[in-house]
């Protein structure tokens, strides 16, 4: 598959990301050369968000490409929190509906075809599962259900002692400096605000590990 082939063009049009066609080759070269920043969990909004303001030139972008770098508010790096967030919700007895919403917000869905993002030389997620996405409708639902989760209450179900809590959570939680509770609360709140903002703007979300 070439960057400009018809199948890829139609896929990007369906995702409202057709502007990516103009700069995808350059971005791939930058990624291969290690020039792009760390994007573990990225919101690739619609053309409204990745297009530069009127009159902005590539010279205004740190890497020479304003179409690639979304605003900082459109990118969320969850570090290694996803596994730990799910574990806390399990330990806290969160109901299945909200646990599934959390899982989908962290893992995405395979209904939107992003196969071209997993195929050499276009692959963007070398580690973990293939890139996935949530439609604007799914984002809105996830934002609604995440807003219902009382994460401090779930953390309160853990042992008071941070070392004991980390041991119960597992998955490397004992390696978090200062204990896992503050770390996980901050990441959960960031994810909830991220989805709330995407929902308000009716954007889709693309997720991947790198």
């Amino acid at each position: 598959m070439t960057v400009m082939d018809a199948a890829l063009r139609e896929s990007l049009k369906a995702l409202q990301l057709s502007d990516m066609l103009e700069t995808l080759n350059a971005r791939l070269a930058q990624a291969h050369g290690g020039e792009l920043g760390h994007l573990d969990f990225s919101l690739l909004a619609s053309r409204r968000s990745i297009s530069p303001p009127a009159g902005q030139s590539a010279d205004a972008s740190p890497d020479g490409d304003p179409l690639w770098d979304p605003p900082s508010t459109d990118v969320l790096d969850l570090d290694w929190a996803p596994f730990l967030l799910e574990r806390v919700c399990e330990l806290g007895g969160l109901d299945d509906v909200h646990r599934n919403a959390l899982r989908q917000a962290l893992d995405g869905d395979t209904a939107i075809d992003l196969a071209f993002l997993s195929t050499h030389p276009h692959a963007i997620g070398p580690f973990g599962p293939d890139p996935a996405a949530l439609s604007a409708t799914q984002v809105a639902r996830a934002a609604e259900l995440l807003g219902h989760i009382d994460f401090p209450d779930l953390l309160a179900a853990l042992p008071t002692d941070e070392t004991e809590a980390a041991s119960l959570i597992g998955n490397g939680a004992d390696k978090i400096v200062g204990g896992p509770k503050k770390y996980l609360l901050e990441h959960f709140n960031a994810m909830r605000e991220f989805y709330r903002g995407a929902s308000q703007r009716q954007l889709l979300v693309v997720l991947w590990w790198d």
Side-chain angles (χ1 to χ4, degrees):
M1 177 185 290
T2 63
V3 170
M4 297 302 288
D5 73 14
L8 177 58
R9 184 180 297 276
E10 290 305 312
S11 294
L12 288 174
K13 283 182 179 179
L15 290 171
Q16 296 186 0
L17 296 174
S18 54
D19 286 338
M20 290 176 65
L21 288 170
E22 304 305 322
T23 57
L24 189 53
N25 274 326
R27 290 196 298 273
L28 291 167
Q30 289 173 326
H32 181 72
E35 299 172 16
L36 293 181
H38 184 65
L39 295 176
D40 274 346
F41 186 125
S42 176
L43 170 65
L44 294 180
S46 64
R47 291 179 298 172
R48 294 170 301 181
S49 293
I50 63 172
S51 296
Q56 182 175 347
S57 69
D59 294 338
S61 174
D63 60 6
D65 184 5
L67 289 177
W68 172 236
D69 295 324
S72 60
T73 53
D74 286 359
V75 177
L76 178 64
D77 184 345
L78 283 178
D79 197 40
W80 294 102
F83 302 110
L84 309 182
L85 292 171
E86 288 193 49
R87 177 62 172 156
V88 168
C89 289
E90 176 188 356
L91 293 170
L94 187 65
D95 64 90
D96 289 343
V97 171
H98 289 86
R99 281 180 62 188
N100 287 337
L102 174 71
R103 188 175 299 110
Q104 188 175 60
L106 294 171
D107 297 342
D109 193 351
T110 58
I112 297 177
D113 184 8
L114 296 179
F116 67 96
L117 294 179
S118 302
T119 305
H120 180 78
H122 314 311
I124 61 172
F127 306 111
D130 292 337
L134 295 180
S135 68
T137 300
Q138 290 173 311
V139 167
R141 180 60 174 163
E144 177 186 2
L145 292 175
L146 289 175
H148 296 163
I149 297 175
D150 187 343
F151 202 73
D153 186 61
L154 296 172
L155 290 173
L158 299 174
T160 303
D161 181 77
E162 289 280 355
T163 301
E164 292 181 16
S167 178
L168 185 61
I169 295 170
N171 295 294
D174 60 320
K175 306 298 183 184
I176 300 174
V177 177
K181 293 183 180 180
K182 180 181 178 182
Y183 169 87
L184 291 175
L185 180 60
E186 290 177 350
H187 281 78
F188 177 82
N189 287 340
M191 178 180 63
R192 181 167 56 189
E193 290 304 311
F194 181 83
Y195 270 94
R196 180 181 298 165
S199 174
Q200 290 173 345
R201 295 157 63 194
Q202 299 183 329
L203 304 178
L204 63 85
V205 169
V206 174
L207 309 92
W208 71 85
W209 291 86
D210 69 6

